[in-house]
Amino acid sequence: MTMMIAAVAVMLGVCSCGDDDDEQEAALASKVVGSYAGEEILTVMGDDSNSPATYVFAKASDTTVDLTLPGMSGEGAMSLPPMQVKNIVLTKEGDVINGKIASYTGTVVNADGAEKSYTVSDLVALFGKDIVVVTYTLKYGNMPFAFVGSFSGTKK
């Protein structure tokens, strides 16, 4: 009977070490928040535009972040204001932190003062040590085509 109690105590002691993983998961957002400077590529109808950009990730909860996509200067309808994508869910696989959201819809006010809706879909953010790679699709206002965005940058 004593040996059985000792064996159960050892098994419970080993199983309780799993709480350390929960603490690491809870800190995911804190590990990735900040500004990342790098190169953004937006593809529209087969045409690419490359430009320097800064992507900003803010903590929403312990396991989610909000992303501010930078605006884009252009003529008329090709000018885009900064847009937010909220509650990107973070998970960890090895040394990489993954951020994903299937779809997010929001509204912004453009340079003319008009309110425009936008949808960001299929967003994936991969965080390594002080680097991030982001891919997504953006549908803005009534534009008949979508922007396909990609960004890679390093933490400032």
Side-chain angles (χ1 to χ4, degrees):
M1 185 62 126
T2 304
M3 291 299 282
M4 185 184 294
I5 292 171
V8 169
V10 168
M11 289 301 293
L12 290 175
V14 170
C15 292
S16 68
C17 292
D19 288 344
D20 295 341
D21 293 337
D22 293 338
E23 289 175 18
Q24 288 177 346
E25 288 292 316
L28 289 180
S30 297
K31 292 179 181 180
V32 302
V33 296
S35 297
Y36 294 79
E39 185 75 16
E40 177 182 57
I41 301 170
L42 287 177
T43 304
V44 182
M45 297 175 48
D47 292 331
D48 292 342
S49 68
N50 299 21
S51 60
T54 300
Y55 278 39
V56 179
F57 291 89
K59 182 178 178 179
S61 75
D62 285 342
T63 57
T64 61
V65 291
D66 295 342
L67 166 62
T68 301
L69 296 170
M72 183 177 88
S73 298
E75 294 182 28
M78 293 305 292
S79 177
L80 301 176
M83 294 173 232
Q84 284 200 327
V85 181
K86 296 185 177 190
N87 295 315
I88 299 167
V89 178
L90 301 173
T91 58
K92 186 170 183 183
E93 294 177 25
D95 292 336
V96 176
I97 296 174
N98 300 305
K100 292 183 181 179
I101 193 165
S103 183
Y104 177 81
T105 300
T107 58
V108 292
V109 176
N110 68 11
D112 297 331
E115 190 171 298
K116 296 282 188 174
S117 65
Y118 66 93
T119 301
V120 174
S121 58
D122 302 320
L123 184 137
V124 176
L126 301 174
F127 298 90
K129 183 172 173 56
D130 294 333
I131 62 169
V132 67
V133 175
V134 180
T135 59
Y136 61 92
T137 301
L138 169 65
K139 181 77 169 83
Y140 179 70
N142 293 326
M143 290 186 173
F145 45 83
F147 295 88
V148 176
S150 65
F151 172 80
S152 60
T154 41
K155 199 169 195 178
K156 289 182 175 183

Coordinates of all heavy atoms in Angstrom, one line a residue, residues 74-152:
G74 N -1.0 56.8 -52.7 CA -1.3 56.6 -54.2 C -2.2 57.7 -54.6 O -2.6 58.6 -53.9
E75 N -2.6 57.5 -55.9 CA -3.5 58.5 -56.5 C -5.0 58.0 -56.3 O -5.2 56.8 -56.6 CB -3.2 58.7 -57.9 CG -1.8 59.4 -58.1 CD -1.6 59.6 -59.6 OE1 -2.5 59.8 -60.4 OE2 -0.4 59.7 -60.0
G76 N -5.9 58.9 -55.9 CA -7.3 58.5 -55.8 C -7.6 57.3 -55.0 O -7.2 57.2 -53.9
A77 N -8.2 56.3 -55.7 CA -8.7 55.1 -55.0 C -7.5 54.2 -54.6 O -7.7 53.3 -53.9 CB -9.6 54.4 -55.9
M78 N -6.3 54.5 -55.2 CA -5.2 53.6 -54.8 C -4.5 54.1 -53.6 O -3.4 53.6 -53.2 CB -4.2 53.6 -56.0 CG -4.7 52.9 -57.2 SD -5.3 51.2 -56.9 CE -3.7 50.4 -56.5
S79 N -5.0 55.1 -52.9 CA -4.5 55.5 -51.6 C -5.3 54.8 -50.5 O -6.5 54.8 -50.5 CB -4.7 57.0 -51.4 OG -4.2 57.4 -50.2
L80 N -4.5 54.1 -49.6 CA -5.2 53.3 -48.5 C -4.8 53.9 -47.2 O -3.6 54.1 -46.9 CB -4.8 51.9 -48.6 CG -5.1 51.1 -49.9 CD1 -4.5 49.7 -49.8 CD2 -6.6 51.1 -50.1
P81 N -5.7 54.1 -46.2 CA -5.4 54.5 -44.9 C -4.9 53.3 -44.1 O -5.1 52.1 -44.5 CB -6.7 55.0 -44.3 CG -7.8 54.2 -45.1 CD -7.2 54.0 -46.4
P82 N -4.2 53.5 -43.0 CA -3.8 52.4 -42.1 C -5.1 51.6 -41.6 O -6.1 52.2 -41.5 CB -3.1 53.1 -40.9 CG -2.7 54.4 -41.4 CD -3.8 54.8 -42.4
M83 N -4.9 50.3 -41.5 CA -6.1 49.5 -41.1 C -5.6 48.5 -40.0 O -4.5 48.1 -40.0 CB -6.5 48.6 -42.3 CG -7.1 49.5 -43.4 SD -7.5 48.5 -44.9 CE -6.7 49.5 -46.1
Q84 N -6.6 48.2 -39.1 CA -6.3 47.2 -38.1 C -6.9 45.9 -38.3 O -7.9 45.8 -39.0 CB -6.8 47.8 -36.7 CG -6.0 48.9 -36.1 CD -6.3 49.0 -34.6 OE1 -7.4 48.8 -34.2 NE2 -5.2 49.4 -33.9
V85 N -6.2 44.9 -37.8 CA -6.7 43.5 -37.8 C -6.6 43.1 -36.4 O -5.5 43.0 -35.8 CB -5.8 42.6 -38.7 CG1 -6.4 41.1 -38.7 CG2 -5.8 43.1 -40.1
K86 N -7.8 42.8 -35.8 CA -7.8 42.5 -34.3 C -7.9 41.1 -34.0 O -8.5 40.3 -34.8 CB -8.9 43.3 -33.7 CG -8.8 44.8 -33.8 CD -9.8 45.6 -33.1 CE -9.6 47.1 -33.1 NZ -10.4 47.8 -32.3
N87 N -7.4 40.7 -32.8 CA -7.5 39.4 -32.3 C -6.9 38.3 -33.1 O -7.6 37.2 -33.4 CB -9.0 39.1 -31.9 CG -9.5 40.0 -30.8 OD1 -8.8 40.2 -29.8 ND2 -10.7 40.5 -31.0
I88 N -5.7 38.5 -33.5 CA -4.9 37.4 -34.2 C -4.5 36.4 -33.2 O -3.8 36.8 -32.2 CB -3.7 38.0 -35.0 CG1 -4.2 39.0 -36.0 CG2 -2.9 36.9 -35.6 CD1 -3.1 39.9 -36.6
V89 N -4.9 35.2 -33.4 CA -4.6 34.1 -32.4 C -3.2 33.6 -32.5 O -2.8 33.2 -33.6 CB -5.6 33.0 -32.5 CG1 -5.3 31.8 -31.5 CG2 -7.0 33.5 -32.3
L90 N -2.5 33.5 -31.4 CA -1.1 33.1 -31.4 C -1.0 31.6 -30.9 O -1.6 31.3 -29.9 CB -0.2 34.0 -30.6 CG -0.2 35.5 -31.0 CD1 0.6 36.3 -29.9 CD2 0.5 35.6 -32.3
T91 N -0.1 30.8 -31.5 CA 0.2 29.5 -31.0 C 1.7 29.4 -31.2 O 2.4 30.1 -31.9 CB -0.5 28.4 -31.8 OG1 -0.2 28.5 -33.2 CG2 -2.0 28.5 -31.6
K92 N 2.3 28.4 -30.5 CA 3.8 28.2 -30.6 C 4.0 26.8 -31.1 O 3.5 25.8 -30.6 CB 4.4 28.4 -29.2 CG 5.9 28.4 -29.3 CD 6.6 28.9 -28.1 CE 8.1 28.9 -28.2 NZ 8.8 29.2 -27.1
E93 N 5.0 26.7 -32.0 CA 5.4 25.4 -32.5 C 7.0 25.4 -32.6 O 7.5 26.1 -33.4 CB 4.9 25.1 -33.9 CG 3.4 24.9 -34.0 CD 2.9 24.7 -35.4 OE1 3.6 24.2 -36.2 OE2 1.7 25.0 -35.6
G94 N 7.6 24.8 -31.6 CA 9.1 24.9 -31.5 C 9.5 26.3 -31.2 O 9.0 26.9 -30.2
D95 N 10.4 26.8 -32.0 CA 10.9 28.2 -31.7 C 10.0 29.3 -32.5 O 10.4 30.4 -32.4 CB 12.3 28.3 -32.1 CG 13.2 27.5 -31.2 OD1 12.8 27.3 -30.1 OD2 14.4 27.2 -31.7
V96 N 9.0 28.8 -33.2 CA 8.2 29.8 -34.1 C 6.9 30.0 -33.4 O 6.2 29.1 -33.0 CB 8.0 29.2 -35.5 CG1 7.2 30.1 -36.3 CG2 9.4 28.9 -36.2
I97 N 6.5 31.3 -33.4 CA 5.2 31.7 -32.9 C 4.4 32.0 -34.1 O 4.8 32.8 -35.0 CB 5.2 32.9 -31.9 CG1 6.0 32.5 -30.7 CG2 3.8 33.4 -31.6 CD1 6.3 33.6 -29.7
N98 N 3.2 31.3 -34.2 CA 2.3 31.5 -35.4 C 1.1 32.4 -35.0 O 0.5 32.2 -33.9 CB 1.7 30.1 -35.8 CG 2.8 29.2 -36.3 OD1 3.6 29.5 -37.1 ND2 2.8 28.0 -35.7
G99 N 0.8 33.3 -35.9 CA -0.4 34.1 -35.7 C -1.3 33.9 -36.9 O -0.9 33.9 -38.0
K100 N -2.6 33.6 -36.6 CA -3.5 33.3 -37.7 C -4.9 33.9 -37.4 O -5.3 34.0 -36.3 CB -3.7 31.8 -37.9 CG -2.5 31.1 -38.5 CD -2.8 29.7 -38.7 CE -1.5 29.0 -39.2 NZ -1.7 27.5 -39.4
I101 N -5.5 34.4 -38.5 CA -6.9 34.8 -38.5 C -7.5 34.5 -39.8 O -6.9 34.8 -40.9 CB -7.1 36.2 -38.0 CG1 -8.6 36.5 -37.7 CG2 -6.6 37.2 -39.0 CD1 -8.8 37.8 -36.9
A102 N -8.7 33.8 -39.9 CA -9.3 33.5 -41.1 C -9.9 34.7 -41.8 O -9.7 34.9 -43.0 CB -10.4 32.5 -40.9
S103 N -10.5 35.6 -41.1 CA -11.1 36.8 -41.7 C -11.4 37.8 -40.6 O -11.8 37.5 -39.5 CB -12.4 36.4 -42.4 OG -13.0 37.5 -43.0
Y104 N -11.2 39.1 -41.0 CA -11.5 40.2 -40.1 C -12.0 41.3 -40.9 O -11.5 41.7 -42.0 CB -10.2 40.7 -39.4 CG -10.5 41.9 -38.5 CD1 -11.1 41.8 -37.2 CD2 -10.3 43.2 -39.0 CE1 -11.4 42.9 -36.4 CE2 -10.6 44.3 -38.2 CZ -11.2 44.2 -36.9 OH -11.5 45.3 -36.2
T105 N -13.2 41.9 -40.5 CA -13.8 43.0 -41.2 C -13.8 44.2 -40.4 O -14.2 44.1 -39.2 CB -15.2 42.6 -41.7 OG1 -15.1 41.5 -42.5 CG2 -15.9 43.7 -42.4
G106 N -13.5 45.4 -40.9 CA -13.5 46.6 -40.2 C -13.8 47.8 -41.1 O -14.1 47.6 -42.3
T107 N -13.8 49.0 -40.5 CA -14.1 50.2 -41.3 C -13.0 51.2 -41.0 O -12.5 51.3 -39.9 CB -15.5 50.8 -41.0 OG1 -15.6 51.1 -39.6 CG2 -16.6 49.9 -41.4
V108 N -12.7 52.1 -42.0 CA -11.8 53.2 -41.8 C -12.3 54.4 -42.5 O -13.2 54.3 -43.4 CB -10.4 52.9 -42.4 CG1 -9.7 51.8 -41.6 CG2 -10.5 52.5 -43.9
V109 N -11.8 55.6 -42.2 CA -12.1 56.8 -42.9 C -11.0 57.1 -43.8 O -9.8 57.2 -43.4 CB -12.4 57.9 -41.9 CG1 -12.7 59.2 -42.6 CG2 -13.6 57.6 -40.9
N110 N -11.3 57.3 -45.1 CA -10.2 57.6 -46.1 C -9.9 59.1 -46.1 O -10.5 59.9 -45.3 CB -10.6 57.1 -47.5 CG -11.8 57.8 -48.1 OD1 -12.2 58.9 -47.6 ND2 -12.3 57.3 -49.2
A111 N -9.0 59.5 -46.9 CA -8.5 60.9 -47.0 C -9.6 61.8 -47.4 O -9.5 63.0 -47.0 CB -7.3 61.0 -48.0
D112 N -10.6 61.4 -48.1 CA -11.8 62.2 -48.5 C -12.8 62.3 -47.4 O -13.8 63.0 -47.6 CB -12.4 61.7 -49.7 CG -11.5 61.7 -50.9 OD1 -10.6 62.6 -51.0 OD2 -11.6 60.9 -51.8
G113 N -12.6 61.6 -46.3 CA -13.6 61.6 -45.2 C -14.7 60.6 -45.3 O -15.6 60.6 -44.5
A114 N -14.6 59.8 -46.3 CA -15.6 58.7 -46.5 C -15.3 57.5 -45.7 O -14.1 57.1 -45.6 CB -15.8 58.4 -48.0
E115 N -16.3 56.9 -45.1 CA -16.1 55.6 -44.4 C -16.1 54.5 -45.4 O -17.0 54.3 -46.2 CB -17.2 55.4 -43.4 CG -16.9 54.3 -42.4 CD -17.9 54.2 -41.2 OE1 -17.9 55.2 -40.5 OE2 -18.6 53.2 -41.1
K116 N -15.0 53.6 -45.3 CA -14.9 52.5 -46.2 C -14.8 51.2 -45.3 O -14.1 51.2 -44.3 CB -13.6 52.6 -47.1 CG -13.7 53.8 -48.0 CD -14.5 53.5 -49.2 CE -14.3 54.6 -50.2 NZ -15.0 54.3 -51.5
S117 N -15.4 50.1 -45.8 CA -15.2 48.8 -45.2 C -14.0 48.1 -45.8 O -13.7 48.4 -47.0 CB -16.5 48.0 -45.3 OG -16.7 47.7 -46.6
Y118 N -13.5 47.2 -45.1 CA -12.4 46.4 -45.6 C -12.4 45.0 -44.9 O -13.0 44.9 -43.8 CB -11.0 47.0 -45.4 CG -10.6 47.1 -43.9 CD1 -9.9 46.2 -43.3 CD2 -11.0 48.3 -43.2 CE1 -9.5 46.3 -41.9 CE2 -10.6 48.4 -41.8 CZ -9.9 47.4 -41.2 OH -9.5 47.5 -39.9
T119 N -11.9 44.0 -45.6 CA -11.8 42.7 -45.1 C -10.4 42.1 -45.3 O -9.9 42.2 -46.4 CB -12.9 41.7 -45.7 OG1 -14.2 42.2 -45.5 CG2 -12.8 40.3 -45.1
V120 N -9.8 41.7 -44.2 CA -8.5 41.0 -44.3 C -8.8 39.6 -44.1 O -9.4 39.2 -43.1 CB -7.5 41.6 -43.3 CG1 -6.2 40.8 -43.3 CG2 -7.2 43.1 -43.6
S121 N -8.3 38.7 -45.0 CA -8.5 37.3 -44.9 C -7.3 36.5 -45.0 O -6.3 37.0 -45.6 CB -9.6 36.8 -45.9 OG -9.2 37.1 -47.2
D122 N -7.3 35.3 -44.5 CA -6.2 34.3 -44.6 C -4.9 34.9 -44.1 O -3.8 34.7 -44.7 CB -6.0 33.8 -46.1 CG -7.3 33.2 -46.6 OD1 -7.9 32.4 -45.8 OD2 -7.7 33.4 -47.7
L123 N -4.9 35.7 -43.1 CA -3.7 36.3 -42.5 C -2.9 35.3 -41.7 O -3.5 34.6 -40.9 CB -4.0 37.5 -41.6 CG -2.8 38.2 -41.1 CD1 -3.0 39.7 -41.2 CD2 -2.4 37.8 -39.7
V124 N -1.6 35.2 -42.0 CA -0.7 34.3 -41.3 C 0.5 35.2 -41.0 O 1.1 35.8 -41.9 CB -0.3 33.1 -42.2 CG1 0.8 32.3 -41.4 CG2 -1.5 32.2 -42.5
A125 N 0.9 35.1 -39.7 CA 2.1 35.8 -39.3 C 3.0 34.8 -38.6 O 2.6 34.1 -37.7 CB 1.8 37.0 -38.3
L126 N 4.3 34.7 -39.1 CA 5.3 33.8 -38.5 C 6.3 34.6 -37.8 O 7.0 35.4 -38.5 CB 5.9 32.9 -39.5 CG 4.9 32.0 -40.3 CD1 5.6 31.3 -41.4 CD2 4.2 31.0 -39.4
F127 N 6.5 34.4 -36.5 CA 7.5 35.2 -35.7 C 8.6 34.3 -35.3 O 8.4 33.2 -34.8 CB 6.8 35.7 -34.4 CG 5.7 36.7 -34.6 CD1 4.4 36.2 -34.7 CD2 6.0 38.0 -34.7 CE1 3.4 37.1 -34.9 CE2 4.9 38.9 -34.8 CZ 3.6 38.4 -34.9
G128 N 9.9 34.7 -35.6 CA 11.1 34.1 -35.2 C 11.8 35.1 -34.2 O 11.1 36.0 -33.7
K129 N 13.0 34.9 -34.0 CA 13.7 35.8 -33.1 C 13.9 37.1 -33.7 O 14.7 37.3 -34.7 CB 15.1 35.2 -32.7 CG 15.9 36.0 -31.7 CD 17.1 35.3 -31.3 CE 18.0 36.2 -30.4 NZ 17.3 36.8 -29.3
D130 N 13.1 38.1 -33.3 CA 13.1 39.5 -33.8 C 12.8 39.6 -35.3 O 13.2 40.6 -35.9 CB 14.4 40.2 -33.5 CG 14.6 40.3 -32.0 OD1 13.6 40.4 -31.2 OD2 15.8 40.4 -31.5
I131 N 12.1 38.7 -35.9 CA 11.7 38.8 -37.3 C 10.2 38.4 -37.4 O 9.7 37.6 -36.6 CB 12.6 38.0 -38.3 CG1 12.5 36.5 -37.9 CG2 14.0 38.4 -38.2 CD1 13.1 35.6 -39.0
V132 N 9.6 38.8 -38.4 CA 8.2 38.4 -38.7 C 8.0 38.4 -40.3 O 8.6 39.1 -41.0 CB 7.2 39.4 -38.1 CG1 7.2 40.7 -38.8 CG2 5.8 38.8 -38.2
V133 N 7.2 37.4 -40.7 CA 6.8 37.3 -42.1 C 5.3 37.2 -42.0 O 4.7 36.4 -41.3 CB 7.4 36.0 -42.8 CG1 6.8 35.9 -44.2 CG2 8.9 36.1 -42.8
V134 N 4.6 38.1 -42.8 CA 3.1 38.2 -42.8 C 2.6 38.0 -44.2 O 3.2 38.6 -45.1 CB 2.7 39.5 -42.2 CG1 1.1 39.6 -42.2 CG2 3.2 39.8 -40.8
T135 N 1.6 37.2 -44.4 CA 0.9 37.2 -45.7 C -0.6 37.3 -45.4 O -1.1 36.9 -44.4 CB 1.1 35.8 -46.4 OG1 0.7 34.7 -45.6 CG2 2.6 35.7 -46.8
Y136 N -1.3 37.9 -46.4 CA -2.8 38.1 -46.2 C -3.4 38.6 -47.5 O -2.7 38.9 -48.5 CB -3.0 39.2 -45.1 CG -2.4 40.6 -45.5 CD1 -3.2 41.5 -46.2 CD2 -1.1 40.9 -45.2 CE1 -2.6 42.7 -46.5 CE2 -0.6 42.1 -45.5 CZ -1.3 43.0 -46.2 OH -0.8 44.2 -46.5
T137 N -4.7 38.6 -47.6 CA -5.5 39.1 -48.7 C -6.3 40.2 -48.1 O -6.9 40.1 -47.1 CB -6.4 38.0 -49.3 OG1 -5.5 37.0 -49.7 CG2 -7.1 38.6 -50.5
L138 N -6.4 41.4 -48.9 CA -7.1 42.6 -48.5 C -8.2 42.9 -49.5 O -7.8 43.1 -50.7 CB -6.2 43.7 -48.2 CG -6.8 45.1 -48.0 CD1 -7.6 45.2 -46.7 CD2 -5.7 46.2 -48.0
K139 N -9.4 43.0 -49.1 CA -10.5 43.6 -50.0 C -10.9 44.9 -49.4 O -11.3 45.0 -48.2 CB -11.6 42.6 -50.0 CG -12.8 43.0 -50.9 CD -12.5 42.7 -52.4 CE -13.7 42.9 -53.2 NZ -14.0 44.2 -53.6
Y140 N -10.7 46.0 -50.2 CA -11.0 47.3 -49.7 C -12.1 48.0 -50.4 O -12.1 48.1 -51.6 CB -9.7 48.2 -49.8 CG -9.8 49.6 -49.4 CD1 -9.9 49.9 -48.0 CD2 -9.9 50.6 -50.3 CE1 -10.0 51.2 -47.6 CE2 -10.0 52.0 -49.9 CZ -10.1 52.3 -48.5 OH -10.2 53.6 -48.1
G141 N -13.1 48.5 -49.6 CA -14.2 49.2 -50.2 C -14.9 48.4 -51.3 O -15.1 47.2 -51.2
N142 N -15.3 49.2 -52.4 CA -16.0 48.5 -53.5 C -15.0 48.2 -54.6 O -15.5 47.9 -55.7 CB -17.0 49.5 -54.0 CG -18.1 49.7 -53.1 OD1 -18.5 48.8 -52.3 ND2 -18.7 50.9 -53.0
M143 N -13.7 48.1 -54.3 CA -12.8 47.8 -55.4 C -13.1 46.4 -55.9 O -13.3 45.5 -55.1 CB -11.3 47.8 -54.9 CG -10.8 49.2 -54.6 SD -9.1 49.2 -54.2 CE -8.7 50.9 -54.2
P144 N -13.1 46.2 -57.2 CA -13.4 44.8 -57.7 C -12.4 43.8 -57.6 O -12.6 42.6 -57.9 CB -13.7 45.2 -59.2 CG -12.8 46.3 -59.5 CD -12.8 47.1 -58.2
F145 N -11.2 44.2 -57.1 CA -10.1 43.2 -57.0 C -9.5 43.3 -55.6 O -9.8 44.2 -54.8 CB -9.0 43.5 -58.0 CG -8.7 45.0 -58.0 CD1 -7.8 45.6 -57.1 CD2 -9.3 45.8 -59.0 CE1 -7.6 46.9 -57.1 CE2 -9.0 47.2 -59.0 CZ -8.1 47.8 -58.1
A146 N -8.8 42.2 -55.2 CA -8.2 42.1 -53.9 C -6.7 42.4 -54.0 O -6.1 42.1 -55.0 CB -8.5 40.7 -53.3
F147 N -6.2 42.9 -52.9 CA -4.7 43.0 -52.8 C -4.2 41.8 -52.1 O -4.8 41.3 -51.1 CB -4.4 44.2 -51.8 CG -4.8 45.6 -52.4 CD1 -6.0 46.1 -52.1 CD2 -3.9 46.3 -53.1 CE1 -6.4 47.3 -52.6 CE2 -4.2 47.6 -53.6 CZ -5.5 48.1 -53.3
V148 N -3.1 41.2 -52.6 CA -2.4 40.1 -51.9 C -1.1 40.7 -51.3 O -0.3 41.3 -52.0 CB -2.1 39.0 -52.8 CG1 -1.3 37.9 -52.1 CG2 -3.4 38.4 -53.4
G149 N -1.0 40.7 -50.0 CA 0.1 41.4 -49.3 C 1.0 40.4 -48.7 O 0.6 39.3 -48.2
S150 N 2.3 40.7 -48.7 CA 3.3 40.0 -48.0 C 4.3 41.0 -47.4 O 4.6 42.1 -48.0 CB 4.0 39.0 -48.9 OG 4.7 39.6 -49.9
F151 N 4.8 40.7 -46.2 CA 5.7 41.6 -45.5 C 6.8 40.7 -44.8 O 6.4 39.7 -44.2 CB 5.0 42.4 -44.5 CG 5.8 43.2 -43.6 CD1 6.4 44.4 -44.0 CD2 6.1 42.8 -42.3 CE1 7.2 45.2 -43.2 CE2 6.9 43.5 -41.4 CZ 7.4 44.7 -41.9
S152 N 8.0 41.2 -44.8 CA 9.0 40.6 -43.9 C 9.8 41.7 -43.3 O 10.2 42.7 -44.0 CB 9.9 39.6 -44.7 OG 10.6 40.3 -45.8

